[in-house]
Amino acid sequence: MASFNKIILIGNLVADPELKQTNTGISYCSFRIAVSRRFSKQGEQATDFFEVTCWREKAEFVTKFFTKGKSILVCGEMQQRTWTDSTGAKRYSYAVAADELSFVERKNADSSDFRGSTPSVPSYGSSAPDMGAFEELSTDDELPF
């Protein structure tokens, strides 16, 4: 039987991401994002919080260009973590293992929203083509179809 596990989230970082390393020297970063639900009850907007983990160059990308409150797009898979607590009860948590991370907002020319210099690529881990600028058409007669 086939299975599929893909999650796509756009949210805001809850805190500044922090780059860490395993005992073997592999870089990783765990952070939380807040994602507002599409619908609200009685005018109150509900928010869900997701734990995200990324590794190696992706972790370095996040810690270099993102800070608390910044919007981020995360694509990955949901993973369940299981452990036994001190009372012997089995506990579960869920986290997104990020495959792709991207900016959501475009940096303005007069803004200094990112740490350091402007990134040369719009995202890390994605293969989205460069769409370039749109061409304005004056009439429908110029349409190719």
Side-chain angles (χ1 to χ4, degrees):
M1 176 170 191
S3 61
F4 186 75
N5 182 354
K6 184 75 169 183
I7 186 166
I8 301 170
L9 301 167
I10 295 177
N12 297 323
L13 272 78
V14 174
D16 287 342
E18 185 179 333
L19 187 66
K20 299 178 183 177
Q21 288 191 342
T22 64
N23 293 337
T24 58
I26 298 172
S27 299
Y28 73 97
C29 178
S30 292
F31 57 94
R32 288 178 36 170
I33 61 172
V35 179
S36 298
R37 293 189 186 171
R38 291 175 53 184
F39 301 103
S40 60
K41 291 183 181 179
Q42 301 171 353
E44 293 182 26
Q45 185 71 43
T47 303
D48 295 307
F49 295 88
F50 293 88
E51 190 74 30
V52 180
T53 303
C54 53
W55 295 87
R56 297 177 177 82
E57 292 85 8
K58 294 171 189 160
E60 293 169 11
F61 171 77
V62 169
T63 56
K64 183 175 181 181
F65 294 110
F66 291 90
T67 58
K68 179 181 178 179
K70 298 295 178 192
S71 295
I72 188 169
L73 180 138
V74 175
C75 296
E77 63 182 31
M78 187 64 73
Q79 295 180 347
Q80 180 183 33
R81 298 175 181 164
T82 307
W83 74 95
T84 305
D85 68 9
S86 59
T87 64
K90 200 168 197 175
R91 299 288 182 179
Y92 304 93
S93 69
Y94 294 88
V96 177
D99 296 327
E100 300 177 35
L101 302 152
S102 180
F103 298 106
V104 177
E105 300 167 349
R106 193 165 275 234
K107 182 180 174 188
N108 296 333
D110 58 350
S111 173
S112 59
D113 287 345
F114 299 107
R115 295 181 195 167
S117 61
T118 304
S120 58
V121 292
S123 64
Y124 188 84
S126 68
S127 58
D130 181 20
M131 298 304 286
F134 288 101
E135 180 182 333
E136 186 73 30
L137 298 177
S138 59
T139 65
D140 286 343
D141 294 337
E142 295 180 26
L143 294 175
F145 48 89

